[in-house]
Amino acid sequence: MENQNKDGVESGAVVRRGDHRSTVDVLLRVLAFALTLTAAIVLGVNKQTKVVSVKLADTLPAMNVPVVAKWHYLSAFVYLVVANAVACSYAALSTIISLNRKKGWWVPFIAILDLLMVAMLFSADGAAVAIGIMGYKGNSHVRWNKVCNTFGRFCGQVAAAGALSLLGSIVFVLIVALTTLRLHRRSK
Amino acid sequence: MENQNKDGVESGAVVRRGDHRSTVDVLLRVLAFALTLTAAIVLGVNKQTKVVSVKLADTLPAMNVPVVAKWHYLSAFVYLVVANAVACSYAALSTIISLNRKKGWWVPFIAILDLLMVAMLFSADGAAVAIGIMGYKGNSHVRWNKVCNTFGRFCGQVAAAGALSLLGSIVFVLIVALTTLRLHRRSK
């Protein structure tokens, strides 16, 4: 009887702890959804037109030409938008699944998909940051000039989208880490 | 007695299955070590000198100037070398730990470090591939010219290092996925 009681208390504690962990998991998924959605929108609407003065020949007067910077001109930014759009759709879907299926093969299935999101998002972050830094600083060795001195607002928006995407990626890392800790505790 | 036998057989099967999984885990770590080490070396020794013809003025004859391409001229390549060096050192260390500590808090600790390697390696892959593609194709919108037509061997070696690093990153994903599946099976 004493054992039964003890068991009862223990399993109750496990259930409560499990519920608490599950709530944290769902909250993190909602946060990941919000961050990746915002990152995709901030970069996806990014466009800046600037009028620059161009001289075709020394004898001719300078002409004012409008130059446009768009996010889809650089494939690294396209990849960042697509990766964040995929990750935010997945975050929404996995939140619904996590709320309904807490046991069985769904657990490792979702954990592995979470892991793939980490890989995809971090590769997109790396690509966008590399191109962003090149645009901000340029590189004299390969003669790629900086462009952020002309398109300041555009670059600022790229930086904001990159930071949001990085935060979203870190939240996915936390989700995977939390699942690992939960599975480890259950396996003991 | 029957129960005891049954338990004995079951736990034996679990141990054998656990041993098999552990062997796969160690083999994957050795593979990750080899791939990331090779990637770091292939890019870390990358250097190409090319003699190009430069005209300082129309009235002067063209001069032959040696131009050097080095991996550390581009920060994305520095990051790829450093990330692969860190990952290969970690792969060696975690192989030793995995062989000696198969239970306790080491399991989630190593799993979370594996996950951090995935994030670090994929961000480095993304950065290097983005800069590599830019060097290979250039971009007319930002007026960054391709450089791989001049430094063909250098670019080939960057591509090889990028591919090796990507394979190493995928092996780390497999290691994390395998740990998740093992923990899930144990938790049932």
Side-chain angles (χ1 to χ4, degrees):
Chain A
M1 188 67 185
E2 211 182 339
N3 267 343
Q4 270 185 343
N5 265 344
K6 203 183 154 197
D7 282 358
V9 171
E10 272 185 355
S11 66
V14 168
V15 168
R16 276 198 300 278
R17 198 185 279 156
D19 277 353
H20 171 67
R21 283 246 168 79
S22 181
T23 311
V24 174
D25 181 84
V26 168
L27 286 177
L28 284 175
R29 283 178 201 280
V30 172
L31 184 62
F33 169 78
L35 286 166
T36 50
L37 178 69
T38 319
I41 292 172
V42 167
L43 190 54
V45 298
N46 201 4
K47 185 183 166 185
Q48 189 182 2
T49 307
K50 195 111 186 194
V51 176
V52 292
S53 185
V54 177
K55 260 199 165 186
L56 290 176
D58 286 339
T59 49
L60 293 170
M63 280 165 63
N64 287 330
V65 182
V67 184
V68 188
K70 283 182 186 168
W71 65 276
H72 58 81
Y73 283 169
L74 288 151
S75 48
F77 296 162
V78 175
Y79 182 37
L80 193 73
V81 170
V82 172
N84 275 283
V86 170
C88 97
S89 311
Y90 167 77
L93 199 68
S94 68
T95 307
I96 298 164
I97 296 171
S98 291
L99 283 169
N100 295 303
R101 313 267 172 188
K102 287 171 186 167
K103 284 191 173 177
W105 62 270
W106 281 100
V107 178
F109 178 70
I110 290 289
I112 288 168
L113 285 180
D114 291 339
L115 176 62
L116 294 181
M117 291 299 128
V118 168
M120 182 188 67
L121 281 175
F122 271 96
S123 65
D125 294 340
V129 169
I131 295 297
I133 289 176
M134 190 58 78
Y136 187 69
K137 294 174 84 178
N139 189 296
S140 59
H141 297 292
V142 283
R143 295 194 188 174
W144 292 346
N145 296 319
K146 54 183 169 189
V147 286
C148 286
N149 45 351
T150 313
F151 296 101
R153 192 179 55 72
F154 182 86
C155 284
Q157 223 160 310
V158 168
L164 286 164
S165 175
L166 196 61
L167 286 175
S169 319
I170 293 168
V171 173
F172 269 107
V173 167
L174 290 176
I175 292 170
V176 178
L178 199 77
T179 308
T180 307
L181 290 173
R182 191 168 54 220
L183 287 174
H184 173 67
R185 194 172 283 266
R186 271 195 210 156
S187 72
K188 279 199 290 196
Chain B
M1 189 65 186
E2 212 181 338
N3 267 341
Q4 268 186 343
N5 266 343
K6 203 184 156 198
D7 281 357
V9 171
E10 273 185 356
S11 68
V14 168
V15 169
R16 276 197 300 279
R17 198 186 279 157
D19 277 353
H20 170 68
R21 284 247 168 79
S22 181
T23 312
V24 174
D25 181 84
V26 168
L27 286 176
L28 284 176
R29 281 178 201 280
V30 172
L31 184 62
F33 169 78
L35 286 166
T36 50
L37 178 68
T38 320
I41 292 172
V42 167
L43 190 53
V45 299
N46 201 4
K47 185 184 166 183
Q48 189 182 1
T49 307
K50 195 112 187 194
V51 176
V52 291
S53 187
V54 177
K55 260 199 165 188
L56 291 176
D58 285 341
T59 50
L60 293 169
M63 281 165 62
N64 287 329
V65 182
V67 183
V68 187
K70 285 181 185 170
W71 64 277
H72 58 81
Y73 284 170
L74 288 151
S75 48
F77 297 162
V78 175
Y79 183 37
L80 193 73
V81 170
V82 171
N84 275 283
V86 169
C88 96
S89 310
Y90 167 76
L93 198 69
S94 69
T95 307
I96 299 164
I97 295 172
S98 290
L99 284 169
N100 295 302
R101 312 264 171 190
K102 288 172 186 165
K103 285 192 173 177
W105 62 271
W106 282 100
V107 177
F109 178 70
I110 290 289
I112 288 167
L113 285 180
D114 291 340
L115 176 63
L116 294 181
M117 291 299 128
V118 168
M120 182 188 66
L121 281 175
F122 270 96
S123 64
D125 294 341
V129 168
I131 295 296
I133 289 175
M134 191 58 77
Y136 186 70
K137 295 174 84 178
N139 189 296
S140 60
H141 297 290
V142 282
R143 295 196 187 171
W144 292 346
N145 295 319
K146 55 182 167 189
V147 287
C148 287
N149 43 352
T150 313
F151 296 101
R153 191 177 56 71
F154 182 87
C155 283
Q157 224 161 307
V158 168
L164 285 164
S165 175
L166 197 61
L167 286 175
S169 319
I170 293 168
V171 172
F172 269 106
V173 167
L174 290 177
I175 292 170
V176 179
L178 200 76
T179 307
T180 306
L181 290 174
R182 191 168 54 219
L183 287 173
H184 173 68
R185 194 172 281 267
R186 271 196 210 154
S187 72
K188 280 198 291 195

